[in-house]
Amino acid sequence: MRTVIFLTISNTFMTFAWYGHLKHQDVALWKVILISWGIAFFEYCFMVPANRFGAMEGFSGFQLKTIQEVITLVVFSVFAVFFLKEPLRWNYLISFVFLIGAVYFMFKK
């Protein structure tokens, strides 16, 4: 469970680092890059331990990456709807269903 919690925190920082500047396009690109790097530092402070904990809990690298990608999409979806004010379209939801299918097969023994 701590793996998922740390990955969620990490992905929240990552989403703001990578996409938060889209609401502030009047800021110079070089400033945005420096700010994003500063935010990304905190992403790494949670991502690296999350993967370490996950490996210690028995997850494979492939499984950890799959968990991370699903968390990324959930965090980004919330971010896009509430921060960027973008609509969540039906085709996005269908693609998420297919990704859940990928998760099923990733963890199938």
Side-chain angles (χ1 to χ4, degrees), residues 51 54-55 57-67 106-107:
N51 287 321
E57 293 167 2
F59 292 114
S60 71
F62 282 107
Q63 290 172 329
L64 286 168
K65 184 60 179 172
T66 302
I67 293 167
M106 179 60 64
F107 286 90

Side-chain angles (χ1 to χ4, degrees), residues 7 14 18-19 22-23 31 34 36 39 43 50 52 63 70 84 89-91 94 98 102-103:
L7 285 173
M14 178 193 73
W18 287 12
Y19 302 101
L22 295 178
K23 283 191 79 169
K31 290 180 183 178
L34 291 177
S36 293
I39 296 169
E43 172 203 351
R52 178 72 58 94
Q63 290 172 329
V70 170
L84 296 178
R89 297 176 22 198
W90 69 270
N91 56 323
I94 297 297
F98 283 111
V103 171

